[in-house]
Amino acid sequence: MAKAQKAYVCGDCGASTTKWQGQCPSCAAWNSLEPRVIEASRPAAGVPEATVQLLSAVGGETVPRIRTGLSELDRALGGGLVQGSAVLIGGDPGIGKSTLLLQAAARLETGRTTLYASGEESLQQVSLRGHRLGLPLEKVSAIATTRVEDVLAAVEQTRPGCVIVDSIQTMVTDMLPSAPGSPNQLRSCASLLVRLAKQTGITVVLVGHVTKDGQIAGPRLLEHMVDVVLYFESEVASRFRILRAVKNRFGAANELGIFVMTEGGIREVKNPSALFVSQRADPVPGSVVTAVHQGSRPLLVEVQALADQGGGSPPRRVAIGLEQNRLTLLLAVMHRHAGISTHASDVFVNVVGGVRIAEPAADLAALLATISSVRDRSLPRDLVVFGEVGLAGEVRPVAYGEERLREAAKVGFHRALVPRANQPRQPIAGIETIAVDCLQDVMRVLPALQASAG
Ligand code: TYD
Ligand code: MG
């Protein structure tokens, strides 16, 4: 491997020098130069380092994937770990990152060992956890260190199929004097490990803590350096965990993996739709179930709204799990095309279970939940609603309409309010669809639906 070099980079203008100086020679800022590890030494001038090839001649029809033994983790990764890729898994301390990765390490199908580099826990602690979870540890080698050079040496020595670095914030490189976790250390250690992945074809998984205050030294800094970024999240005090892909060079970026934390480690949730729909017997005002399509699967989630009269001036609009601007827009459309005003009410909308909806397919559900709360009339429990709402009050079709309906039927919904173009050609067993073109249509069918909810 080529040798890395040290340079001093100006934090203001980005210029680099080989010697430290009090003032940047480029932009004249004072005390802005910081040490940084830079790219390896260049070959002699004129000697090409890379070759040109026709893309058609470059193999790449399929990327080899390594299964992790956890299908929900494979799903979030887009079908398993890609060989030679760099993956970042971020999350709050204590959420279960180490547990998840030790479980994956024990079952990775690389055909070689997996190296677990722990900068936070001793080897005894890691091993104890592995034994307590009953994991097969024959193929997991481990090293407790905070020096990235130790990790690189261990890789050289054991030639693993995958390296897990837990956590990147604890790692330091000898080339820099700064403390572990500082932005410079973080970037330099990560770049050494990412380079390892690219040069050797060993998959590198980095664990990163999300710092609640000051994201500055958090995993965000590393997002652009790696191929895949997953965040491990949960609702406060919930046993359920959502592994969300926010970046994936080899798959869908909005994929979700859903897990539950148990005494015996992390388990996959096989039927997640039932999870995000509250299990009440009686319908309540302000609650509507929608079918979203996240990554490669449909998911049923409950949208709740509360319109509280006597709101301040200006009234508050709070959206959790939905875009705030989207809610403001929907309230304006509702006022204009359905004649329902919320200008004197605070409106809160929440998506149950910590799911974040990034598609407009939930518009109609958010709107109906708000109307339901304003009028204090509930909608039937067996109704699912989806569709995009336009500024002209039209209800627009969404992609994957049939998949959404099938999922709803599977979970036990009997009625669906859908955009007309999403009405299936062949009826879907167990679910009756009510098609609408615009908000006026919705208002027309609403009384009957409310009456059937009791
Ligand atoms: P951990 O994987 O150490 O979290 P992280 O690496 O993200 O900081 O998990 C810590 C929490 O998980 C801890 O509070 C205990 C809990 N836990 C379980 O509930 N069941 C288990 O089997 C294990 C190993 C941990
Ligand atoms: Mg940990």
Side-chain angles (χ1 to χ4, degrees), residues 33-93:
L33 293 181
E34 290 179 45
R36 174 101 37 104
V37 177
I38 58 159
E39 269 300 304
S41 53
R42 298 252 162 264
V47 180
E49 202 179 358
T51 51
V52 181
Q53 284 185 62
L54 283 176
L55 282 179
S56 58
V58 181
E61 309 81 35
T62 54
V63 278
R65 301 255 183 191
I66 306 160
R67 305 240 166 260
T68 63
L70 287 159
S71 60
E72 288 293 297
L73 176 57
D74 287 344
R75 177 192 285 279
L77 288 163
L81 279 171
V82 171
Q83 213 177 322
S85 66
V87 179
L88 174 70
I89 298 190
D92 290 335

Side-chain angles (χ1 to χ4, degrees), residues 204-218:
V204 172
V205 180
L206 307 177
V207 175
H209 294 299
V210 174
T211 44
K212 282 251 160 60
D213 47 328
Q215 288 271 320
I216 231 55

Side-chain angles (χ1 to χ4, degrees), residues 97-98 120-121 129 166 209:
K97 301 179 294 298
S98 303
E120 304 198 334
E121 293 163 302
R129 177 184 290 155
D166 187 3
H209 294 299

Side-chain angles (χ1 to χ4, degrees), residues 92-100 120-121 129 132-133 166 207 209 241 261-266:
D92 290 335
I95 194 103
K97 301 179 294 298
S98 303
T99 309
L100 178 76
E120 304 198 334
E121 293 163 302
R129 177 184 290 155
R132 204 174 61 69
L133 298 179
D166 187 3
V207 175
H209 294 299
R241 304 281 184 268
M261 183 63 116
T262 69
E263 275 302 296
I266 286 177

Side-chain angles (χ1 to χ4, degrees), residues 135-150:
L135 299 173
L137 297 173
E138 299 78 31
K139 290 200 310 189
V140 187
S141 54
I143 178 171
T145 182
T146 56
R147 279 181 73 229
V148 83
E149 282 78 13
D150 285 350

Side-chain angles (χ1 to χ4, degrees), residues 182-193:
S182 70
N184 254 351
Q185 282 286 8
L186 208 61
R187 254 191 302 251
S188 299
C189 292
S191 96
L192 288 169
L193 291 161

Side-chain angles (χ1 to χ4, degrees), residues 9 117 156 163 282 294 301 309 363 376 392 423:
V9 176
E156 193 90 351
V163 191
D282 298 326
Q294 297 267 16
V301 290
Q309 273 183 8
D363 284 357
D376 202 24
Q423 203 169 28

